[in-house]
C-alpha cells in the first residue's frame, strides 16, 4: 500500500526548536534532547509524527513516539518506523511499549522480551518506570 505521506527524515539542529514545540504540544513528557536523534515526518513544514532514539552506552531506546492527533490511526507511525529501519538496526534498539501498543510495535518488527534481557542501564530505567505504575512491555527491534 502506498503512503500519501513524505519520507521520514532526521531532524537537523535547525529544526530542533520545532520538534521540541511539537513534543510540548502533543507529548510533554517526551522531552527531546539535542544529543539524541529525532526522526519526523513533516508535511508542508508541519511535523505530523516524531520519534526519538535515546542513546545509551550499548544500545538505543526508541522513545517519545507521537503522532499529531488528527493523523492517528492512519498508518503514519508505521510509515515513520519503516522509514528509519536503518537507524533502528545500527545498534541494538529497544522500546518500552505501553501495553495497549504492543500489537503496533509487533507489527513494526519489535519482539516482546523479558525485562532481564534488557541492557543494564535500560533495565534500571524500565524498573523505575514500572515502579511508578506504568503498564509497559519491554521489546527489542528485529531487523526484517
Amino acid at each position: 500500500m502506498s503512503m500519501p505521506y513524505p519520507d521520514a527524515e532526521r531532524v537537523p539542529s535547525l529544526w530542533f526548536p520545532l520538534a521540541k514545540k511539537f513534543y510540548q504540544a502533543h507529548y510533554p513528557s517526551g522531552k527531546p534532547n539535542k544529543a539524541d536523534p529525532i526522526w519526523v515526518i513533516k508535511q508542508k513544514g508541519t511535523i505530523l509524527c516524531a520519534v526519538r532514539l535515546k542513546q545509551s552506552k550499548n544500545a538505543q531506546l526508541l522513545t517519545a513516539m507521537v503522532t499529531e492527533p488528527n493523523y492517528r490511526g492512519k498508518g503514519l507511525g508505521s510509515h515513520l518506523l519503516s522509514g528509519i529501519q536503518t537507524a533502528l538496526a545500527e545498534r541494538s534498539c529497544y522500546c518500552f511499549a505501553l501495553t495497549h501498543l504492543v500489537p503496533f510495535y509487533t507489527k513494526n518488527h519489535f519482539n516482546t522480551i523479558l525485562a532481564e534481557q534488557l541492557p543494564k542501564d535500560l533495565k534500571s530505567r524500565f524498573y523505575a518506570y514500572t515502579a511508578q505504575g506504568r503498564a509497559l512491555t519491554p521489546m527489542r527491534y528485529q531487523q526484517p
Side-chain angles (χ1 to χ4, degrees):
M1 177 173 112
S2 173
M3 296 300 299
Y5 302 109
D7 291 334
E9 61 182 88
R10 186 171 171 172
V11 173
S13 57
L14 179 67
W15 267 79
F16 182 80
L18 295 172
K20 187 174 182 177
K21 187 175 180 179
F22 176 80
Y23 276 116
Q24 288 170 338
H26 303 294
Y27 187 53
S29 64
K31 297 181 181 127
N33 180 328
K34 286 183 182 180
D36 297 321
I38 299 171
W39 294 84
V40 299
I41 290 180
K42 60 185 181 180
Q43 194 169 53
K44 297 180 183 174
T46 301
I47 296 173
L48 303 179
C49 188
V51 67
R52 183 171 142 218
L53 295 178
K54 183 167 181 53
Q55 304 300 303
S56 70
K57 185 176 180 181
N58 298 312
Q60 55 187 347
L61 179 66
L62 183 143
T63 186
M65 174 97 183
V66 65
T67 300
E68 201 277 334
N70 294 327
Y71 289 86
R72 291 180 184 160
K74 299 179 181 186
L76 196 54
S78 291
H79 185 62
L80 176 58
L81 290 178
S82 176
I84 66 167
Q85 284 183 359
T86 301
L88 295 174
E90 282 178 1
R91 306 175 71 202
S92 295
C93 185
Y94 300 87
C95 76
F96 304 154
L98 293 170
T99 303
H100 71 281
L101 293 175
V102 168
F104 165 79
Y105 286 105
T106 299
K107 182 177 90 173
N108 287 285
H109 310 290
F110 281 83
N111 296 323
T112 301
I113 61 170
L114 300 172
E116 292 76 30
Q117 295 173 283
L118 290 165
K120 186 178 179 180
D121 53 335
L122 295 182
K123 189 185 316 182
S124 61
R125 181 180 297 251
F126 178 80
Y127 286 135
Y129 291 160
T130 55
Q132 296 169 358
R134 299 181 193 178
L136 301 172
T137 300
M139 301 187 82
R140 182 176 181 172
Y141 179 74
Q142 291 295 118
Q143 192 169 7

